[in-house]
Amino acid sequence: MSTGHNYIEKNKAAWNSRTDHHVGSAFYDVDSFLKGKSSLNDIELALLGNMEGKSVLHLQCHFGQDSISMARMGARVTGVDLSDHAIDKARELTEELNADAKFTCCDIYDLPNHLDETFDIVFSSYGTIGWLPDLKPWASIISRYLKPGGRFVFAEFHPIIWMYDNDFDKVAYTYSKGDAIVEVENGTYADKDAPIVTEMITWNHGLAEVIGSLLDAGLEIRSFNEYNYSPYNCFSHTIEFEPGKFRIEKFGDKIPMVYSLLAVKP
Ligand SMILES: C[S@@+](CC[C@H](N)C(=O)[O-])C[C@H]1O[C@@H](n2cnc3c(N)ncnc32)[C@H](O)[C@@H]1O
C-alpha cells in the first residue's frame, strides 16, 4: 500500500532492532516462558476458550511467545510477522520447545501471496493495528482466513491512549483516521535503556473504524469490552495498582486503556 512513507521498510527495520533487545528483556521474560509460563493474559484467554485441536492464525505474532503459548494449550498455530529477526527467533523457540507452531514472514496485507488455508481462530493482540495504514484490507484478510463459524479474537490498546504524547501531558494526535504519525524513539517500551534509535510510522484507529471495517468484511461482532488498565507496563508514568495491572498514575481508573473483541464469520 502506498502511503508516501516507505512505512514497510522503516517499520521492519525498527522491529528488527527492537526484537534483538526484546528477547533479552525482563518485559518479555523469556526465561519464565521457557519454563512453561504462558504469555497470554486473562483478557484474551477468556475469549480464546478451549484451544484443544483448534487451528489458529496469529497475525503480527512478534517473536512467537503468544503463538507458542496457544500451541501449548493444544492449538496448531501459524504466526505471521513482518520482522525477519522476530520470525527467526519464533522458529528457534518453537524448535527448542517442540511446539506445534509454524511461521511466515511478510506484511499481513501480502499474506494471500504466502498462505492458502483457513482457520478456526484468527488471533491478534496488543500493539498491532497501529502499524497498518488502513483497516479495510486488514478486516478482509481476517475474513479471508476464517472458516465459516470461525472466530476472530482481538485484544488491543485503546485508541484514547494513543491520542496523548509520550508523557501523557497533552492530547497530541487525532483519535482516528489521522495522518501518519512519524516518531523517532530512543530505546523501546520493553527496554527503555536499549541502545537503539528507531524511526517508526504508525496510524491511530478509532473504535468505529475497527468495528466498521470488521462489519463491512461480513463478520458478526459477538462481544466487545473496554478495560481501565493495561496488562503490560509499556507506557510512561504508570502505577501497578494490582499485580499485573497498570494505569497511568494521573488518570487512575478514569480512561480506558485496552479493549477486546470477539467476532464470528457466519
Ligand atoms: C507489539 S508486537 C504485537 C505482538 C505482541 N503484542 C507482542 O508484544 O509480542 C507488533 C508486531 O507487529 C509486527 N508488524 C508491524 N507491521 C506489520 C505488518 N505490516 N505486517 C505484519 N506484521 C507487522 C511487528 O514486526 C511486531 O512484531
Side-chain angles (χ1 to χ4, degrees):
M1 178 165 300
S2 172
T3 66
H5 283 285
N6 287 334
Y7 79 97
I8 289 290
E9 293 99 282
K10 285 184 178 163
N11 289 345
K12 182 173 182 165
W15 277 103
N16 274 346
S17 51
R18 279 178 154 191
T19 298
D20 300 339
H21 293 278
H22 286 187
V23 171
S25 68
F27 183 99
Y28 281 99
D29 193 8
V30 170
D31 281 349
S32 302
F33 173 72
L34 287 172
K35 289 180 192 140
K37 185 172 181 247
S38 173
S39 59
L40 297 162
N41 304 293
D42 290 346
I43 292 172
E44 57 269 24
L45 283 169
L47 296 179
L48 285 167
N50 182 359
M51 303 290 285
E52 201 59 53
K54 296 281 191 297
S55 59
V56 179
L57 175 63
H58 181 188
L59 299 176
Q60 296 178 246
C61 64
H62 200 26
F63 64 91
Q65 281 189 309
D66 288 357
S67 319
I68 295 170
S69 295
M70 290 187 283
R72 282 170 164 165
M73 293 166 70
R76 296 186 313 280
V77 183
T78 300
V80 181
D81 201 278
L82 179 65
S83 158
D84 50 310
H85 289 210
I87 291 298
D88 286 349
K89 190 65 197 178
R91 288 183 176 137
E92 211 180 284
L93 288 170
T94 298
E95 200 175 317
E96 187 173 346
L97 294 167
N98 197 21
D100 195 349
K102 58 187 180 175
F103 296 92
T104 298
C105 185
C106 70
D107 172 13
I108 67 163
Y109 290 163
D110 198 31
L111 194 54
N113 291 322
H114 297 260
L115 188 67
D116 185 21
E117 285 175 56
T118 51
F119 296 83
D120 298 314
I121 296 172
V122 175
F123 173 73
S124 198
S125 72
Y126 305 105
T128 55
I129 54 175
W131 303 97
L132 309 177
D134 185 357
L135 295 190
K136 284 206 177 292
W138 168 79
S140 300
I141 294 267
I142 291 160
S143 178
R144 151 71 182 81
Y145 283 103
L146 280 173
K147 293 178 183 172
R151 292 178 290 143
F152 174 50
V153 173
F154 188 43
E156 184 54 286
F157 295 113
H158 202 283
I160 294 233
I161 284 288
W162 300 126
M163 294 173 70
Y164 289 91
D165 65 336
N166 277 341
D167 284 326
F168 293 94
D169 279 335
K170 64 174 189 327
V171 170
Y173 305 106
T174 51
Y175 171 74
S176 192
K177 287 196 169 176
D179 293 335
I181 299 166
V182 181
E183 286 172 304
V184 176
E185 185 182 78
N186 290 299
T188 134
Y189 60 84
D191 179 359
K192 296 195 167 52
D193 299 324
I196 52 171
V197 180
T198 49
E199 183 181 356
M200 294 165 295
I201 321 285
T202 58
W203 290 265
N204 285 353
H205 301 291
L207 295 179
E209 197 187 342
V210 174
I211 291 169
S213 63
L214 294 170
L215 293 174
D216 287 350
L219 300 182
E220 293 174 0
I221 312 281
R222 293 287 168 84
S223 89
F224 179 80
N225 281 296
E226 294 173 302
Y227 302 85
N228 59 11
Y229 68 89
S230 163
Y232 295 104
N233 189 19
C234 54
F235 299 105
S236 309
H237 311 301
T238 52
I239 46 158
E240 188 171 18
F241 69 98
E242 275 176 28
K245 293 185 177 177
F246 301 88
R247 287 177 175 149
I248 311 300
E249 187 163 17
K250 72 177 176 191
F251 294 154
D253 62 3
K254 293 195 181 71
I255 61 163
M257 294 187 72
V258 158
Y259 64 96
S260 69
L261 180 154
L262 174 69
V264 171
K265 179 167 169 158

